Amino acid sequence: MRQAVLLGNPGTKRTVFMERAAEKTGVRVAFLDWKSWEEQMPDTEVFLKIDPPLWDSSSLEELGSLVEEYKEKLTRLSYLEKKRSVVFLNHPSAIEALLDKRGCKDTLRRAGIPVTESLGSAGDMEQLTEIMDVCRMNQVFIKPVNGSGAAGVAAFRRQPKTGKMALYTCAADKDGRLINTRRLRRFSEQREIRYLLEKLLKLDCIVERWYAKETYQNMSYDLRAVMQDGKLDYLLARLSDGPVTNLHLNNHPLAPEELKLSVSVREKVKALCRKAMACYPGLQSAGIDILLEKDSRRPRIIEMNAQGDLIYRDIYNKNIIYCHQTEMMGRWLSEPLMAGRAELEKIEYE
């Protein structure tokens, strides 16, 4: 007997809309709660989709330990292959690899895939200033190696001649602790900026070049592509009047058709995504963030997310992404029946 199983969190949008997709496509999907998954894992052949666990903490200083805890769970999930027959939508090792922004970007770059340029790592303001001086850049992005959803991400700009600075980030200080507010704020007071950056840079951060993005109606944008089953399943533009485009920060989604991208640009985006997926054989579904350079519209991958399949514009419309996932599960579930029919037809013919 085979079972399709979702490992996730009860009552979340991810779980609810996956269940709705299963009902729509007629595929039976069982549910496992992260709190008790090891005790309740079916003792059968399983097609397993892994959703990320929920974290109660908003502390950015705890981000590293939370991610390490998640990686340990992914390692335990990997062992299931040795104990029983398990097929993963996304293999735990692939999910773990994409949790590491530095490692992922290195993998893509070695494969010859255009990515946003990494300038190095900085642990304090002195190292950050040195990197910017050596690279002759006055604006950069700073990102914790671990994390998602813009947690700890900062866009920093300086004017060396005047000493003026600007910092855009969702991070804020609360009673001496650095927290994720999930709200983008702009800081301009130099002392406050230096204080926040010193705390952020202790989180193991990478420094990236700040590119000028392509614009639409005076707003900059990038693209979120969802690749599934070897195809570009969904594409969405994310518009913002600031440097960070994540949609949960009250930015604006837009159908890519509105951008009037040329056939050449669209094909380059698809080819880029296919090459990126090929770097991770255990990956069948991923969200890929893509920057189009201003004027040239040359695509570069910003980052990849092995669990970047939740897009509100999709789930509240046709729920395409989750329906396609359940269809993939349905194909796997029907394989024994199809094989049996083929053997029967062969016998009857002979």
Side-chain angles (χ1 to χ4, degrees):
M1 179 182 176
R2 289 184 162 189
Q3 278 189 275
V5 178
L6 169 66
L7 172 57
N9 309 282
T12 63
K13 289 183 175 64
R14 287 179 177 274
T15 299
V16 168
F17 283 91
M18 187 68 174
E19 290 171 345
R20 292 185 186 181
E23 291 175 7
K24 185 176 180 179
T25 56
V27 178
R28 185 175 179 180
V29 179
F31 174 75
L32 276 183
D33 193 327
W34 268 112
K35 294 180 180 178
S36 55
W37 70 271
E38 288 180 291
E39 295 82 12
Q40 297 181 3
M41 181 66 68
D43 191 18
T44 59
E45 290 183 84
V46 170
F47 186 111
L48 185 64
K49 181 196 175 183
I50 305 168
D51 275 347
L54 292 179
W55 293 333
D56 295 329
S57 174
S58 62
S59 171
L60 290 172
E61 278 126 343
E62 294 177 9
L63 188 59
S65 60
L66 290 170
V67 171
E68 286 304 314
E69 181 181 318
Y70 182 31
K71 288 180 179 179
E72 290 175 7
K73 292 178 179 177
L74 291 170
T75 298
R76 294 207 299 273
L77 282 162
S78 295
Y79 291 152
L80 291 177
E81 281 185 318
K82 300 176 181 178
K83 295 180 179 179
R84 64 186 76 180
S85 178
V86 178
V87 174
F88 295 100
L89 175 71
N90 284 338
H91 195 280
S93 62
I95 297 174
E96 181 175 349
L98 266 61
L99 288 172
D100 178 358
K101 289 185 176 68
R102 182 187 291 121
C104 178
K105 187 149 290 187
D106 287 345
T107 296
L108 298 178
R109 187 172 56 250
R110 286 195 298 269
I113 297 171
V115 296
T116 49
E117 183 183 0
S118 295
L119 305 177
S121 301
D124 54 35
M125 275 297 294
E126 184 178 351
Q127 291 178 355
L128 176 62
T129 300
E130 182 178 353
I131 288 172
M132 295 176 73
D133 289 342
V134 169
C135 297
R136 298 182 180 179
M137 292 182 183
N138 291 321
Q139 55 182 33
V140 294
F141 268 88
I142 299 151
K143 300 178 180 180
V145 171
N146 297 309
S148 60
V153 172
F156 174 57
R157 179 183 287 130
R158 66 176 185 175
Q159 295 180 6
K161 292 182 179 180
T162 64
K164 290 184 178 180
M165 297 179 178
L167 181 71
Y168 302 82
T169 183
C170 295
D173 180 76
K174 183 178 180 181
D175 301 326
R177 294 169 57 246
L178 201 60
I179 64 167
N180 179 23
T181 65
R182 299 181 183 274
R183 181 171 67 89
L184 190 66
R185 298 170 62 194
R186 181 183 185 276
F187 298 89
S188 57
E189 203 278 312
Q190 187 174 134
R191 182 179 297 179
E192 189 172 23
I193 289 173
R194 288 184 174 277
Y195 176 78
L196 287 173
L197 281 177
E198 285 288 0
K199 294 182 78 68
L200 273 172
L201 292 168
K202 287 182 172 60
L203 301 180
D204 186 13
C205 292
I206 55 175
V207 181
E208 293 186 353
R209 178 179 173 184
W210 181 342
Y211 290 80
K213 296 179 180 178
E214 190 56 280
T215 59
Y216 176 85
Q217 295 185 352
N218 297 320
M219 288 189 287
S220 62
Y221 70 84
D222 59 22
L223 303 172
R224 163 59 66 91
V226 178
M227 291 290 291
Q228 297 197 132
D229 203 16
K231 299 181 289 293
L232 178 57
D233 221 9
Y234 200 89
L235 188 65
L236 185 70
R238 308 185 301 181
L239 279 67
S240 176
D241 54 9
V244 182
T245 59
N246 297 67
L247 292 178
H248 71 280
L249 301 177
N250 293 322
N251 290 317
H252 312 285
L254 183 74
E257 294 77 17
E258 299 295 323
L259 301 174
K260 294 181 172 54
L261 299 175
S262 68
V263 173
S264 174
V265 170
R266 294 198 303 269
E267 289 304 313
K268 286 178 181 178
V269 168
K270 290 180 184 179
L272 198 66
C273 290
R274 285 194 293 267
K275 289 180 180 178
M277 294 294 287
C279 292
Y280 297 94
L283 205 61
Q284 296 189 72
S285 174
I288 305 177
D289 295 336
I290 302 158
L291 176 147
L292 298 182
E293 291 187 43
K294 189 172 178 60
D295 298 327
S296 71
R297 289 187 170 177
R298 183 192 182 196
R300 292 179 178 271
I301 290 181
I302 302 170
E303 60 183 58
M304 296 178 67
N305 187 336
Q307 294 166 320
D309 56 2
L310 178 62
I311 297 180
Y312 288 1
R313 192 180 181 91
D314 176 46
I315 61 173
Y316 291 128
N317 189 11
K318 296 182 180 179
N319 206 11
I320 291 171
I321 297 168
Y322 287 162
C323 281
H324 285 183
Q325 289 182 7
T326 58
E327 287 169 359
M328 292 165 66
M329 292 177 173
R331 291 202 305 269
W332 178 82
L333 288 169
S334 65
E335 281 178 2
L337 179 60
M338 292 172 63
R341 285 177 177 170
E343 288 299 316
L344 180 60
E345 289 171 0
K346 181 179 178 182
I347 292 171
E348 290 177 346
Y349 180 78
E350 293 175 344

